[in-house]
């Protein structure tokens, strides 16, 4: 095995994965986790040498897990507004959930803010319908988008668009989406937040292979002439696959995105993400804003190369064999341009009326704290997994990658001509601004936000049938859960269908914790009550650096193999994912 590793060290790919000699990254805050010199990343070993070799290799290389000891930190729960983040120097705050993550800068000329019009993703129409099921077709294809004026950005999109088309799942309806992969690499579609039979959940090795002309793709990447890892349980199809989505238990703002093992960050960054809005009768009876006043907002950050292409520091830009990103992007990839529904800092003309905004953070790594510059704040009505029990008034909302906040903003308190800017209190300069609303006209408005929205029964943690601890931490260039990088053949937890467990999740960095096929409630943060951003049913819970969060997780009744992982996509791709099995 040692000889093999030396061989790999001779390969360019591994050299670049290992990076340059120890040097503190210029962007790291003083208290930041350093990028230490790993001997050889276990992730690299896994993907080069195969599962059988990996265990042996892991004993050969230095075990660097313990090297990340960092005491303290995280004394301010994420549930409180971040102290010190109202000023612009966010690298000074140890509590800043973006500290230590490098922002790539754009080389292309950037447009004036608010010069673009907010696009609204098209609602996909079914290709056929039966008494209980709507059938949709999506083609995953390469396309170009004019995101910056006069420049063409190559994207990968669902139906060639970024964001992809919005799928609306009406009460009582099942949805079947036939995806066709016309891209040059394997893809996997995951419906984030859904309760879904395992064969439609988008398990990371359940590839939809590209056309045979693009060559062979093993179940997991291999390098050189070494045997590839294979996942014996993977269900691989060629070019098309039907994904079946039963009626969700509650109305919720879900989203779908690529989930290919090792390459999710690169794939989503190219544009493979869209909304999936599930409605139910309870929600439809409420007098909330609807129709053109119910608007999904997908927020991402990107940096652009001079030719208009997205800058993403992939080790293998063809996304065929070597996973991962440049060393100094190992904490995550952020950009200096904020896109909403694919447009840079757009403006939206609004009526002087109430609007519902379904805000999704689809960024790879960036966490936002959103506020309105008229200081009137938001009425939050929902979160990841649907409506709150009652609305809550918030001056700002913090959302980590993958989280959703449903809010109502009442523009009737403004005069025609007023402009209200949506800002990001965790950003600075170009990333401190998100979009603008321009009150264009008066209008009648019969909507309201009722005092009771839904029923959210608090999970009683004593109903938990098991407790577990999940430690999210860094080891060298890998990101690990309980000391392991993702291994499709290993189950970290075997759980009972429909049961509730309490997991204590600890983190050495900022990690958005996401569980498939389950819904969660935050029980406590560092021993304190959950914060205002923790309310309701979640599928993604943010952990700031050093936090310990207890989470009650209710698993769905669908059985089989699922994953939980960090939703910082660079962390996920570098190993921070694990299986659990529902029996
Ligand atoms: Cu949004 Cu497993 O992911
Ligand atoms: Cu993470």
């Amino acid at each position: 095995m040692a000889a093999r590793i030396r061989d790999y060290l001779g390969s360019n790919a591994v050299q670049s994965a290992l990076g340059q000699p120890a040097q503190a990254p210029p962007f790291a805050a003083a208290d930041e986790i350093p990028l230490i010199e790993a001997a050889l990343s276990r992730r690299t070993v896994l993907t080069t040498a195969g599962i059988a070799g990996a265990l042996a290799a892991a004993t050969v290389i230095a075990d660097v897990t313990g090297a990340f000891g960092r005491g303290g930190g995280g004394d301010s729960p994420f549930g409180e507004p971040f102290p010190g983040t109202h000023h612009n120097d966010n690298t000074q705050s140890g509590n800043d959930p973006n500290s230590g993550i490098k922002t790539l800068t754009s080389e292309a000329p950037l447009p004036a803010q608010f010069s673009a019009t907010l696009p609204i993703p098209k609602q996909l129409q079914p290709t056929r319908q039966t008494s209980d099921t709507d059938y949709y077709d999506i083609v995953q294809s390469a396309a170009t988008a004019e995101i910056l004026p006069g420049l063409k950005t190559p994207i990968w999109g669902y139906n060639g668009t970024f964001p992809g088309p919005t799928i609306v799942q009406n009460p009582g309806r099942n949805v079947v989406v036939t995806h066709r992969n016309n891209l040059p690499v394997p893809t996997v579609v995951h419906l984030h937040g859904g309760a879904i039979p395992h064969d439609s959940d988008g398990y990371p090795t359940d590839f939809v292979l590209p056309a045979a002309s693009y060559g062979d793709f093993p179940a997991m990447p291999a390098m050189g002439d070494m045997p590839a890892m294979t996942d014996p349980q993977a269900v691989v199809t060629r070019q098309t696959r039907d994904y079946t989505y039963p009626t969700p238990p509650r109305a919720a703002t879900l989203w779908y995105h690529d989930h290919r093992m090792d390459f999710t960050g690169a794939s989503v960054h190219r544009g493979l993400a869209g909304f999936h809005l599930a409605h139910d009768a309870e929600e439809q009876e409420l007098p909330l804003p609807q129709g053109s006043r119910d608007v999904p907002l997908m927020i991402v950050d990107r940096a652009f190369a001079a030719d208009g292409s997205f800058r993403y520091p992939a080790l293998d830009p063809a996304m065929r064999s070597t996973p991962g990103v440049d060393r100094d992007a190992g904490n995550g990839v952020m950009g200096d341009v904020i896109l909403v529904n694919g447009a840079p800092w757009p403006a939206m003309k609004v009526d002087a009326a109430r609007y519902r905004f379904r805000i999704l953070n689809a960024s790879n790594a960036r966490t936002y704290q959103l506020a309105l510059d008229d200081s009137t704040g938001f009425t939050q009505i929902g979160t990841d997994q649907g409506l709150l029990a009652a609305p809550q008034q918030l001056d700002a909302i913090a959302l980590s990658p993958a989280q959703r906040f449903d809010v109502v903003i009442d523009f009737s308190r403004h005069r025609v001509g007023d402009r209200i800017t949506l800002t990001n209190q965790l950003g600075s300069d170009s990333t401190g601004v998100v979009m603008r609303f321009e009150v264009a006209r008066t209008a009648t408005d019969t909507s309201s936000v009722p005092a009771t929205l839904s029923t959210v029964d608090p999970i009683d943690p004593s109903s938990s049938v098991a407790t577990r601890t999940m430690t999210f931490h860094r080891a060298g260039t890998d990101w690990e859960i309980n000391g392991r990088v993702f291994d499709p053949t290993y189950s970290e937890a075997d759980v009972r269908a429909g049961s509730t467990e309490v997991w204590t999740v600890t983190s050495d960095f900022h990690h958005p914790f996401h569980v498939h096929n389950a819904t969660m409630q935050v029980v406590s943060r560092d021993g304190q009550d959950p914060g205002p951003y923790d309310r309701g049913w979640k599928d993604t819970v943010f952990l700031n650096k050093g936090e310990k969060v207890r989470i009650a997780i209710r698993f769905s009744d669908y059985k089989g193999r699922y994953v939980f992982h960090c939703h910082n996509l660079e962390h996920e791709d570098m190993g921070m994912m694990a299986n659990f099995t529902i029996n």
Side-chain angles (χ1 to χ4, degrees):
M1 198 60 227
R4 276 183 172 186
I5 289 171
R6 274 197 298 278
D7 287 342
Y8 293 129
L9 287 169
S11 97
N12 288 335
V14 172
Q15 288 291 15
S16 70
L18 289 171
Q20 300 308 309
Q23 204 177 37
F27 52 86
D31 66 340
E32 196 40 66
I33 296 172
L35 290 165
I36 68 157
E37 264 330 280
L40 173 59
S41 146
R42 266 183 273 183
R43 183 61 169 168
T44 306
V45 173
L46 271 168
T47 52
T48 53
I51 292 170
L55 292 175
T59 61
V60 173
I61 63 172
D63 187 337
V64 294
T65 311
F68 271 110
R70 60 169 296 286
D75 29 3
S76 171
F78 183 70
E80 305 295 315
F82 305 112
T85 51
H86 46 272
H87 63 80
N88 278 342
D89 189 2
N90 66 19
T91 58
Q92 297 307 303
S93 168
N95 296 311
D96 177 353
N98 298 311
S99 66
I101 307 179
K102 181 185 178 182
T103 298
L104 293 172
T105 52
S106 293
E107 294 149 353
L110 300 176
Q113 293 176 347
F114 321 125
S115 55
T117 299
L118 177 78
I120 308 291
K122 272 215 194 69
Q123 183 179 334
L124 193 61
Q125 295 306 310
T127 47
R128 93 193 149 85
Q129 295 180 290
T130 62
S131 59
D132 60 0
T133 303
D134 299 331
Y135 292 84
Y136 295 92
D137 290 336
I138 288 180
V139 180
Q140 305 169 4
S141 55
T144 55
E146 188 173 331
I147 297 172
L148 303 179
L151 288 175
K152 296 258 179 280
T153 303
I155 62 157
W156 286 357
Y158 295 113
N159 285 350
T161 64
F162 165 58
T166 298
I167 293 174
V168 172
Q169 186 158 13
N170 282 313
R173 306 291 295 171
N174 303 307
V175 161
V176 176
V177 186
T178 301
H179 276 269
R180 181 171 187 83
N181 177 9
N182 281 355
L183 294 167
V185 300
T187 61
V188 175
V189 183
H190 171 55
L191 176 55
H192 181 115
I196 301 164
H198 76 98
D199 53 351
S200 281
D201 187 56
Y203 187 82
T205 53
D206 283 356
F207 291 165
V208 183
L209 294 170
S213 57
Y214 289 113
D216 281 349
F217 285 87
M220 278 173 267
M223 289 170 60
D225 54 0
M226 298 315 299
M229 279 166 93
T230 50
D231 173 9
Q233 286 187 65
V235 180
V236 174
T237 60
R238 172 71 72 185
Q239 271 218 285
T240 73
R241 184 163 184 144
D242 291 348
Y243 291 90
T244 300
Y245 304 126
T247 310
R250 314 181 75 218
T253 301
L254 309 180
W255 63 298
Y256 62 101
H257 62 78
D258 196 71
H259 214 303
R260 174 188 171 199
M261 175 155 170
D262 292 339
F263 293 96
T264 294
S267 305
V268 172
H269 199 270
R270 287 194 188 192
L272 291 173
F275 281 101
H276 182 120
L277 308 181
H279 297 296
D280 66 10
E282 175 190 58
E283 177 206 33
Q284 286 183 333
E285 277 165 20
L286 297 176
L288 296 170
Q290 43 179 293
S292 64
R293 294 186 190 151
D294 177 356
V295 181
L297 300 177
M298 179 190 287
I299 301 176
V300 303
D301 59 333
R302 295 287 185 270
F304 293 84
D307 62 0
S309 59
F310 290 139
R311 289 189 67 192
Y312 189 80
L315 294 179
D316 174 10
M319 292 163 58
R320 288 188 64 88
S321 55
T322 310
V325 289
D326 289 348
R327 248 175 91 71
D328 62 357
N331 287 348
V333 173
M334 303 201 298
D336 61 349
V337 177
I338 307 297
L339 305 179
V340 186
N341 294 345
W345 309 287
M348 179 194 188
K349 289 198 184 339
V350 294
D351 298 340
R354 270 181 216 89
Y355 280 74
R356 173 179 185 177
F357 293 103
R358 302 165 181 265
I359 306 176
L360 158 66
N361 179 1
S363 308
N364 282 36
R366 183 182 290 279
T367 293
Y368 300 81
Q369 184 165 292
L370 303 173
L372 294 168
D373 72 345
D374 68 352
S375 308
T376 51
F378 310 92
T379 305
Q380 189 198 355
I381 58 169
T383 183
D384 302 341
Q385 292 280 299
L387 293 167
L388 301 179
Q392 70 168 337
Q393 199 61 32
L394 293 172
D395 291 338
I397 54 178
L399 71 169
S400 72
Q403 291 188 317
R404 286 87 71 207
F405 273 71
D406 267 9
V407 300
V408 170
I409 302 176
D410 186 358
F411 296 109
S412 72
R413 56 200 176 195
H414 284 280
R415 282 202 288 270
V416 172
D418 280 1
R419 295 160 158 182
I420 303 99
T421 302
L422 183 66
T423 63
N424 171 26
Q425 296 175 327
L426 292 178
S428 56
D429 304 325
S430 66
T431 59
V433 170
V434 178
M435 66 174 289
R436 187 155 81 185
F437 303 103
E438 300 174 359
V439 181
R441 55 194 94 78
T442 57
T444 54
D445 184 3
T446 56
S447 74
S448 62
V449 179
T452 300
L453 296 166
S454 181
T455 319
V456 177
D457 291 327
I459 299 182
D460 176 2
S462 71
S463 68
S464 164
V465 298
T467 57
R468 303 177 200 270
T469 300
M470 300 295 169
T471 304
F472 280 55
H473 63 104
R474 182 170 182 149
T477 55
D478 294 333
W479 292 96
E480 298 185 341
I481 299 172
N482 286 354
R484 289 170 183 266
V485 291
F486 180 49
D487 174 350
T489 66
Y490 176 78
S491 184
E492 182 67 47
D494 293 315
V495 308
R496 273 212 337 261
S499 71
T500 298
E501 298 195 354
V502 173
W503 289 14
T504 300
V505 188
T506 67
S507 90
D508 63 351
F509 195 69
H510 359 280
H511 299 295
F513 169 79
H514 170 52
V515 184
H516 286 210
N517 204 39
T519 175
M520 313 193 272
Q521 289 180 7
V522 178
V523 176
S524 66
R525 265 183 196 277
D526 280 340
Q528 311 287 311
D529 285 344
Y533 306 130
D534 290 328
R535 296 245 164 92
W537 287 105
K538 313 291 277 189
D539 57 49
T540 308
V541 173
F542 186 76
L543 274 81
N544 213 347
K545 188 168 51 177
E547 280 188 320
K548 181 191 245 190
V549 181
R550 289 179 74 223
I551 304 168
I553 306 176
R554 183 161 295 161
F555 298 97
S556 109
D557 287 327
Y558 295 113
K559 295 180 181 163
R561 179 176 70 158
Y562 292 90
V563 289
F564 65 98
H565 57 90
C566 176
H567 220 290
N568 175 317
L569 299 182
E570 284 69 44
H571 297 187
E572 175 185 335
D573 283 344
M574 293 312 284
M576 196 168 259
M577 178 153 63
N579 284 331
F580 67 99
T581 311
I582 304 186
N583 301 301

